Every structure is written in structure tokens, then in C-alpha cells.
Amino acid sequence: MKVKSGLFILIVIFVYSNISNIVAEAKTWTYEMKAVETYSDNPDVMDFEDFKVERISRGVYGLSGKWLVKTDVIEDDDVQIEYAAYRSRDGNKDYKKIPFRVERQHLFDYFNGLYKDVLMNTFKDCSNLPVFEDKFEPPLKKNTYTFNNCIFDEEKLPQYLQEGFYKVDLIGSGKVNWYLNVTAQVQNEA
């Protein structure tokens, strides 16, 4: 199932910002989401529905869709997430793995790390994802988590990215095996 989305390219950008030694004085790039592919091997446990990028205004896109979590996720559950990133100069099938990845970790470590530090500010006003101050308190409740024209907060993103096409693989395992593959094109501003 291929649809457009803007959610998980931010993960690659965040990881890149923490690893990169390249520093610029002002943000030098823009990006455009190209596609997303989702999969769940057990839709009775977790699934994705209607993810798409919606044009809000010229050059401004928001994320809309649903993440269906059909059972509570508790601390003892072996629910893991990992990320891997790839880059292609021209978007052909010559994507090469780049060293920007997040090793496999428990879902709650993700919430207390990358989600809290980078993504929570984006989703607090446009979704019903958890919002917390100190630490995420389990469980992640059975729910349909909705995204309604979410526009990404770019404050914590890197100032420089190399032009090209980026793919991010967000891979989940445990009660259900799933993935979300996102492709975006990064261009330098003139």
C-alpha cells in the first residue's frame, strides 16, 4: 500500500543532526515527501489506515491518518522499534545505507527519547498521541491514534542536509511485525 506521508523522515533528519559534524548558520534545505509504504503482519493487533500528506498551502504539507493500536501495550511486552536510513543521489534504485540509525529499542524507550525530544511538540496539537512532561507512563492504551494535518516543528532539526532522496525504514516487532517506509527528497535552498 503506497501513500504519501511526512512522519518518519523526521527521524532520519533528527539522527543526522546528532551525528553530523557539518554546521551551517541557517537551515539550508527543504524537503518534500514522496511516498510511504506500510505493512502489518497482524492487523488484528496493530495497523495503519489512510496515511497521506495533505497540502495545506503552497509548500506546506500536513500529515493525516490513523494508527490503530488494537491492544494495550504494557511494560512486559516485547514491543521493539528500530530505524535505518538510506540515501540516493537521484532517487533511482541505488539507495545506499547511511550510518544514521537507531538500534532496536523498546517502544517506551522510543517514547522517552526520540518521540519526546523531537516529535511530541509536533503532535501535541494535531493528534491524540501521548503528551507527557517527565517520563511516559505505560501502558500505551488500545486506541485509534489520529493525525490531522500535523505540520512538523523544525526547531530541533539540522541546519544542513545533503541533497538527494532519503528513505527511512521504521521497523516494529513483538506482538506484531510491521514497518513504515518513508521516502523524501531533500533540496538545498537557492
Side-chain angles (χ1 to χ4, degrees), residues 37-88:
E37 182 181 340
T38 61
Y39 168 78
S40 171
D41 73 353
N42 190 349
D44 292 333
V45 175
M46 195 274 295
D47 207 0
F48 301 95
E49 189 175 282
D50 300 326
F51 269 95
K52 61 186 173 224
V53 171
E54 296 183 313
R55 185 172 185 247
I56 297 170
S57 63
R58 184 179 175 141
V60 179
Y61 296 89
L63 174 71
S64 294
K66 296 175 185 174
W67 178 37
L68 290 75
V69 178
K70 298 179 180 180
T71 63
D72 287 350
V73 179
I74 61 173
E75 287 185 272
D76 293 336
D77 289 342
D78 185 27
V79 178
Q80 303 285 314
I81 293 180
E82 64 183 293
Y83 307 98
Y86 306 85
R87 183 184 167 278
S88 168

Side-chain angles (χ1 to χ4, degrees), residues 89-100:
R89 186 175 49 82
D90 57 12
N92 289 326
K93 296 192 184 282
D94 64 336
Y95 282 88
K96 299 202 180 350
K97 197 168 197 172
I98 54 179
F100 313 124

